[in-house]
Coordinates of all heavy atoms in Angstrom, one line a residue:
R687 N 9.1 -7.7 -9.9 CA 10.3 -6.8 -9.6 C 10.4 -5.5 -10.3 O 11.0 -4.4 -9.8 CB 11.5 -7.7 -10.1 CG 11.8 -8.8 -9.0 CD 12.9 -9.7 -9.4 NE 13.2 -10.7 -8.3 CZ 13.6 -11.9 -8.6 NH1 13.9 -12.2 -10.0 NH2 14.0 -12.7 -7.6
A688 N 9.7 -5.4 -11.5 CA 9.6 -4.1 -12.1 C 8.8 -3.0 -11.4 O 9.0 -1.9 -11.3 CB 9.0 -4.2 -13.6
E689 N 7.7 -3.6 -10.7 CA 7.0 -2.8 -9.9 C 7.3 -2.4 -8.5 O 7.1 -1.3 -8.0 CB 5.4 -3.3 -9.9 CG 4.8 -3.3 -11.2 CD 3.3 -3.7 -11.3 OE1 2.7 -3.6 -10.1 OE2 2.8 -4.0 -12.2
F690 N 7.9 -3.5 -7.9 CA 8.0 -3.4 -6.4 C 9.6 -3.4 -6.0 O 9.8 -2.9 -4.9 CB 7.4 -4.5 -5.7 CG 5.9 -4.5 -6.0 CD1 5.3 -5.7 -6.4 CD2 5.1 -3.4 -5.8 CE1 3.9 -5.7 -6.7 CE2 3.8 -3.4 -6.0 CZ 3.2 -4.5 -6.4
A691 N 10.5 -4.0 -6.7 CA 11.9 -4.1 -6.2 C 12.5 -2.8 -6.1 O 12.3 -1.8 -6.8 CB 12.7 -5.0 -7.2
E692 N 13.4 -2.6 -5.1 CA 14.2 -1.4 -4.9 C 15.5 -1.5 -5.4 O 16.1 -0.4 -5.6 CB 14.2 -1.2 -3.3 CG 12.8 -0.9 -2.7 CD 12.8 -0.6 -1.3 OE1 13.4 -1.3 -0.5 OE2 12.1 0.4 -0.9
S693 N 16.1 -2.5 -5.7 CA 17.5 -2.8 -6.1 C 17.6 -4.3 -6.5 O 16.8 -5.1 -6.3 CB 18.5 -2.3 -5.1 OG 18.5 -3.3 -4.0
V694 N 18.7 -4.6 -7.1 CA 19.1 -5.9 -7.4 C 19.2 -6.7 -6.1 O 18.7 -7.8 -6.1 CB 20.6 -6.0 -8.1 CG1 20.9 -7.5 -8.3 CG2 20.5 -5.3 -9.5
G695 N 19.7 -6.2 -5.0 CA 19.8 -6.9 -3.8 C 18.4 -7.0 -3.2 O 18.1 -8.0 -2.5
E696 N 17.6 -5.9 -3.1 CA 16.3 -5.9 -2.5 C 15.3 -6.0 -3.5 O 14.6 -5.0 -3.8 CB 16.2 -4.7 -1.6 CG 17.1 -4.6 -0.5 CD 17.0 -3.5 0.4 OE1 16.0 -2.7 0.3 OE2 17.9 -3.3 1.3
N697 N 15.1 -7.2 -4.1 CA 14.3 -7.3 -5.3 C 13.0 -8.1 -5.0 O 12.3 -8.6 -5.9 CB 15.1 -8.1 -6.4 CG 15.4 -9.6 -5.9 OD1 14.9 -10.0 -5.0 ND2 16.5 -10.1 -6.6
S698 N 12.4 -8.0 -3.8 CA 11.0 -8.3 -3.3 C 10.7 -9.8 -3.3 O 9.9 -10.2 -2.4 CB 10.0 -7.5 -4.1 OG 10.2 -6.2 -3.9
V699 N 11.3 -10.7 -4.2 CA 10.8 -12.0 -4.2 C 11.9 -12.9 -4.5 O 12.9 -12.6 -5.2 CB 9.6 -12.3 -5.2 CG1 8.3 -11.7 -4.7 CG2 10.1 -11.6 -6.6
H700 N 11.8 -14.3 -4.1 CA 12.7 -15.3 -4.5 C 11.7 -16.4 -5.1 O 10.6 -16.6 -4.6 CB 13.4 -15.9 -3.2 CG 14.1 -17.2 -3.6 ND1 15.3 -17.4 -4.0 CD2 13.5 -18.6 -3.2 CE1 15.5 -18.7 -4.1 NE2 14.4 -19.4 -3.6
G701 N 12.3 -17.1 -6.0 CA 11.5 -18.2 -6.6 C 12.4 -19.3 -7.0 O 13.5 -19.1 -7.5
S702 N 12.1 -20.6 -6.8 CA 12.8 -21.8 -7.2 C 13.1 -21.7 -8.7 O 12.3 -21.3 -9.5 CB 12.0 -23.0 -6.9 OG 11.8 -23.1 -5.5
D703 N 14.2 -22.2 -9.1 CA 14.6 -22.3 -10.5 C 14.5 -23.6 -11.3 O 14.7 -23.6 -12.5 CB 16.1 -21.7 -10.7 CG 17.1 -22.6 -10.0 OD1 16.8 -23.6 -9.3 OD2 18.3 -22.2 -9.9
A704 N 14.2 -24.7 -10.5 CA 14.0 -26.0 -11.1 C 13.3 -27.0 -10.3 O 13.2 -26.7 -9.0 CB 15.5 -26.6 -11.4
P705 N 12.7 -28.0 -10.7 CA 12.0 -28.9 -9.9 C 12.8 -29.5 -8.8 O 12.2 -29.5 -7.7 CB 11.6 -30.0 -10.9 CG 11.5 -29.4 -12.2 CD 12.6 -28.3 -12.1
E706 N 14.0 -29.8 -8.8 CA 14.9 -30.1 -7.8 C 15.0 -29.3 -6.7 O 14.9 -29.6 -5.5 CB 16.2 -30.8 -8.4 CG 16.2 -31.8 -9.4 CD 15.7 -31.3 -10.7 OE1 15.8 -30.1 -11.1 OE2 15.2 -32.1 -11.6
T707 N 15.3 -28.0 -7.1 CA 15.4 -26.9 -6.2 C 14.1 -26.6 -5.5 O 14.1 -26.5 -4.2 CB 15.9 -25.6 -6.9 OG1 17.0 -26.0 -7.7 CG2 16.3 -24.5 -5.9
A708 N 12.9 -26.7 -6.1 CA 11.6 -26.4 -5.6 C 11.4 -27.4 -4.4 O 11.1 -27.1 -3.4 CB 10.6 -26.4 -6.6
A709 N 11.7 -28.7 -4.7 CA 11.5 -29.8 -3.7 C 12.3 -29.6 -2.5 O 11.8 -29.7 -1.4 CB 11.8 -31.1 -4.4
I710 N 13.5 -29.2 -2.6 CA 14.5 -28.9 -1.5 C 14.0 -27.7 -0.8 O 13.9 -27.7 0.5 CB 16.0 -28.8 -2.0 CG1 16.5 -30.1 -2.6 CG2 16.8 -28.2 -0.8 CD1 17.7 -30.0 -3.3

């Protein structure tokens, strides 16, 4: 995000925040 994000909304990536979320 420091290198590629354009804004808070256009922040280049999403990632799971917990094992349960990742599984879903």
Side-chain angles (χ1 to χ4, degrees):
R687 289 175 172 152
E689 290 188 22
F690 303 127
E692 297 186 309
S693 67
V694 173
E696 295 186 8
N697 61 22
S698 300
V699 285
H700 162 90
S702 301
D703 61 2
E706 300 78 21
T707 310
I710 292 166

